[in-house]
Amino acid sequence: MNIFKQFYKSIYSPKDIASFRFQGIGKTILYVFFLTFLSILPAIFYLNTMLNAGIESTKSVINDDIPSFTIENGTLSADTDVPITVDKGDFSIFVDPTGVITNEDVEDKGNAIALLKSEITVAAGGRIDSYSYSMMEGLTLTKEDFIDIVDTVDGMKGIIIPVISIFMFLVSSAVSFIEVSILAWIGLLLKNLAGRSISYRHLWRMAAYSVTLPTVFFTIMSALNTPVPNSFYINWFVEILILFLAIKEIPNENTNIEN
C-alpha cells in the first residue's frame, strides 16, 4: 500500500492502522516526514503572504505610526507608556514596552509581528514563534536599524522563505518524532488496558499513523487561519483514542489459543 493510500486509510480506519504495525520502519519514518510537511504547508503559505504583502506596509507603519524604540540588554524601551497596535488589513504590528500584550494576544490577530518587552513574536497561518532579545546579547537595535532590516528582508525573500521553511520542517519533524515516541509509550499502558500483547516497535509504527486525523484537522484549521481552543488537549485526546481503538483491533492471543 502506497503512502497516500495509507494516509487516506489512517484518517478513518483503526483496523488499517493496526495492520501497518508489520511494515518496515523506513516507510513509517517516511510517513512521519510526509505528515510533518503537510502540517507546515499553511504556515509556509502565510509566511510567504506575510512577507510579500506585509513588508511595504511594515516600513510605512514603522515610519509613520510607531514611536522610536530601542532594544538593548534584552529589553524593549520605547517613547510610549501604553502598548501600540496598528492593524493593516490582515496584518498587525504591536509595540509593547510595558509587558501587557501576551503571545496569545498576538496569536489571536492571525498574521502579526510584535515587539514585546522581552521578545519578538511572529504569528502566521495559525503558528506562532517567539525569539528572546537575550539572543542578541551585546547588540543594540533601534527603529532605524529595524527599517534597514526590513529593507534587507525585502531584497532576500527568495532566500529567506526557503531557508525558514526548511528550518520549520526540521524543527517540526523533530517535534513529530518526539510526539510519536511519547504516544507509543502511552500505548504500552493502553495495550495492558486492552489486554493485548504488542511490542513497543509495533506500537511506534501504529502511533505514527494514529496522529493522522488530528494532523489533518489542525492543518485545515491552520489553513483557514482559525485558532482552536485547547488544541493541545484535543490533539492528544484524539491521538490516544485512535491508538487505543487500533490496539483493540489486534487479535487477542489468549482468545486465539482458546479457539
Side-chain angles (χ1 to χ4, degrees):
M1 187 180 298
N2 65 50
I3 195 170
F4 299 106
K5 186 174 289 186
Q6 286 184 319
F7 171 73
Y8 174 70
K9 294 280 188 180
S10 297
I11 292 175
Y12 69 90
S13 177
K15 184 175 182 180
D16 282 292
I17 291 175
S19 70
F20 297 154
R21 70 189 185 276
F22 295 118
Q23 75 175 16
I25 188 63
K27 189 173 184 180
T28 306
I29 290 174
L30 177 63
Y31 186 80
V32 175
F33 280 125
F34 167 72
L35 276 186
T36 302
F37 176 73
L38 181 69
S39 70
I40 67 171
L41 283 179
I44 293 174
F45 172 78
Y46 283 112
L47 172 65
N48 183 67
T49 300
M50 185 180 71
L51 282 175
N52 286 313
I55 285 177
E56 288 304 319
S57 62
T58 299
K59 287 191 288 186
S60 175
V61 168
I62 292 174
N63 279 318
D64 303 331
D65 301 318
I66 291 179
S68 296
F69 64 82
T70 301
I71 299 172
E72 189 174 14
N73 298 323
T75 303
L76 171 71
S77 58
D79 294 339
T80 178
D81 296 325
V82 295
I84 293 176
T85 303
V86 180
D87 294 316
K88 291 289 184 178
D90 294 331
F91 182 73
S92 300
I93 298 177
F94 296 87
V95 176
D96 178 26
T98 68
V100 172
I101 295 176
T102 65
N103 285 337
E104 288 72 21
D105 297 325
V106 180
E107 185 177 15
D108 289 342
K109 284 291 186 179
N111 297 319
I113 183 169
L115 297 175
L116 305 181
K117 185 175 181 63
S118 59
E119 61 189 349
I120 182 170
T121 298
V122 179
R127 185 187 185 94
I128 186 166
D129 296 289
S130 297
Y131 307 94
S132 173
Y133 299 141
S134 60
M135 296 170 60
M136 304 184 297
E137 185 176 355
L139 179 65
T140 299
L141 187 66
T142 66
K143 175 178 174 176
E144 290 70 26
D145 295 327
F146 200 83
I147 294 174
D148 291 338
I149 290 173
V150 175
D151 286 330
T152 301
V153 170
D154 191 18
M156 298 181 63
K157 289 183 295 187
I159 299 174
I160 292 173
I161 292 175
V163 169
I164 294 178
S165 298
I166 292 172
F167 177 76
M168 287 171 56
F169 176 71
L170 293 176
V171 172
S172 298
S173 294
V175 172
S176 295
F177 279 104
I178 292 172
E179 181 178 354
V180 169
S181 299
I182 293 174
L183 183 60
W185 280 108
I186 295 175
L188 293 174
L189 301 176
L190 297 178
K191 77 179 183 70
N192 294 329
L193 185 63
R196 300 296 192 272
S197 178
I198 179 172
S199 66
Y200 177 80
R201 62 191 180 93
H202 287 158
L203 283 169
W204 198 93
R205 292 168 171 82
M206 291 169 62
Y209 292 93
S210 296
V211 305
T212 302
L213 179 58
T215 297
V216 170
F217 172 75
F218 287 111
T219 299
I220 292 173
M221 291 297 101
S222 180
L224 296 175
N225 207 10
T226 304
V228 180
N230 302 311
S231 58
F232 177 84
Y233 300 103
I234 293 173
N235 178 68
W236 278 100
F237 174 77
V238 174
E239 289 178 356
I240 291 171
L241 177 61
I242 292 175
L243 180 59
F244 180 69
L245 293 175
I247 291 172
K248 292 279 287 184
E249 292 291 340
I250 298 174
N252 191 320
E253 291 184 356
N254 292 332
T255 300
N256 291 339
I257 294 174
E258 292 174 3
N259 290 338

